């Protein structure tokens, strides 16, 4: 049985860069949500105004590999990283099977 995989990608964004970041992220979120292996994909604000977080859920590792190769991902992610004022971080979780 395959297990859903969740990714939490934390993006430290200077407040002055947040509007441009959100504008670019909108296309990434919309297109990622349409991918066949996607369960959900969203951009989230936190209590820290300098942090935006992508919360993603994928059906399996193959779906993540396909996503990472998509044109919208490979084009937009470098632009988002340029707007960061620190290093992004990523945590990956697999659901526990009972």
């Amino acid at each position: 049985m395959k297990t859903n995989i969740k990714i939490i990608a934390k993006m430290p964004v200077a407040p002055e860069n947040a509007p441009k970041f959100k504008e670019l992220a909108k296309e990434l979120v919309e297109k990622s949500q349409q991918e066949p292996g996607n369960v959900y994909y969203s951009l989230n604000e936190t209590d820290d105004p300098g942090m935006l977080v992508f919360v993603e859920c994928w059906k399996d590792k193959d779906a993540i590999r396909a996503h990472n190769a998509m044109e919208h991902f490979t084009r937009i992610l470098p632009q988002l990283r340029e707007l960061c004022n620190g290093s992004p971080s990523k945590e990956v979780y697999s659901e526990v099977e009972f």
Side-chain angles (χ1 to χ4, degrees):
M1 180 174 157
K2 292 187 179 182
T3 306
N4 285 340
I5 300 170
K6 293 167 181 74
I7 298 174
I8 309 296
K10 297 178 181 178
M11 311 293 281
V13 179
E16 63 271 15
N17 290 340
K20 178 67 175 170
F21 187 99
K22 291 175 187 177
E23 178 185 322
L24 287 167
K26 183 177 190 284
E27 179 185 355
L28 177 62
V29 169
E30 289 173 350
K31 289 188 175 179
S32 298
Q33 289 172 339
Q34 296 172 13
E35 293 178 40
N38 183 258
V39 178
Y40 58 82
Y41 198 105
S42 65
L43 179 65
N44 302 269
E45 296 179 317
T46 70
D47 291 341
D48 178 351
M51 186 68 65
L52 291 169
V53 179
F54 288 100
V55 178
E56 314 169 26
C57 184
W58 299 92
K59 290 183 180 179
D60 53 33
K61 289 182 182 180
D62 289 337
I64 295 170
R65 277 192 284 278
H67 168 68
N68 290 343
M70 290 285 179
E71 183 277 334
H72 58 270
F73 182 81
T74 60
R75 174 175 47 85
I76 296 171
L77 186 62
Q79 295 176 65
L80 294 177
R81 284 188 174 152
E82 287 180 15
L83 296 170
C84 289
N85 62 349
S87 297
S89 66
K90 178 173 80 170
E91 298 171 354
V92 180
Y93 303 91
S94 295
E95 289 181 8
V96 174
E97 294 183 47
F98 293 98

